[in-house]
Amino acid sequence: DLAHPRLWCAPATGYVVAGALELIEERIAAGDAGETVRVLDYGAGTGLAAIELLKACRERGIDRLLGERGMELELHLADLPSSWFARGYELLRDCSWTRFHSLRAADGSFRPLRELTGGEGMDAVMANMVFHLIPPAALRELAAELASVIEPGGRLIWSSPDLGPAGPHAVLF
């Protein structure tokens, strides 16, 4: 159901989306004609956070605000090739704001984030429920990669509730 995220992921996703939406609105208010606001959804999977962000943008009239200011918005979704990411592509490929990127290079290594975004920096990076999938030894390198792509004054907005202790209403798999 694309209208409502599941209860197990709604709070974490809402936190990330609210932070990205706030930054988008700030960038639009301070921006000039011809500028582009860029958001990266790192570890996008099925596109849950991106879908929720796009719904919030529609509700807040972001397309109208962008048009009034002569600005653009790009929402970059990046992940490893998988059936999950293929589903995200299927759901969002027709949205003019979305761009899809494989984190995997042809040789099997990880692509530098600046490479996959065509050298463009990001105003915001969303990372929703993905850090638990990254081996601890790789987190330092990932942090450096994320920092390399975030523009001055930009933000990393992340939530990894699955790393913390289970709450009283948690449903454990």
Side-chain angles (χ1 to χ4, degrees):
D1 179 3
L2 295 179
H4 305 284
R6 296 284 185 197
L7 291 179
W8 68 267
C9 64
T13 304
Y15 172 80
V16 170
V17 168
L21 184 61
E22 177 183 41
L23 187 121
I24 290 168
E25 290 177 331
E26 288 172 7
R27 290 290 206 243
I28 293 171
D32 293 317
E35 290 184 17
T36 301
V37 180
R38 292 181 179 88
V39 177
L40 172 64
D41 185 356
Y42 183 86
T46 58
L48 172 65
I51 289 168
E52 293 303 309
L53 179 61
L54 291 170
K55 287 168 34 180
C57 285
R58 179 181 298 157
E59 290 172 9
R60 298 290 273 269
I62 295 298
D63 55 342
R64 179 186 51 78
L65 294 172
L66 289 165
E68 289 171 0
R69 304 284 296 194
M71 298 175 68
E72 298 290 329
L73 174 67
E74 292 178 2
L75 177 54
H76 296 258
L77 290 82
D79 208 335
L80 296 170
S82 68
S83 61
W84 288 52
F85 196 42
R87 180 67 174 147
Y89 176 78
E90 182 182 319
L91 291 169
L92 295 169
R93 69 178 172 219
D94 295 329
C95 177
S96 64
W97 290 345
T98 58
R99 315 284 186 274
F100 290 83
H101 310 281
S102 171
L103 291 171
R104 186 74 67 200
D107 66 1
S109 65
F110 278 88
R111 295 173 61 199
L113 292 180
R114 283 276 181 174
E115 174 190 303
L116 68 89
T117 63
E120 298 291 347
M122 297 291 126
D123 295 295
V125 174
M126 301 188 303
N128 190 41
M129 297 182 288
V130 69
F131 288 144
H132 70 286
L133 300 172
I134 300 165
L139 285 174
R140 183 181 302 271
E141 186 175 335
L142 173 60
E145 272 296 304
L146 293 172
S148 77
V149 79
I150 297 173
E151 288 293 309
R155 295 183 196 144
L156 168 62
I157 307 145
W158 64 279
S159 179
S160 245
D162 36 9
L163 293 178
H169 304 290
V171 177
L172 302 178
F173 293 102

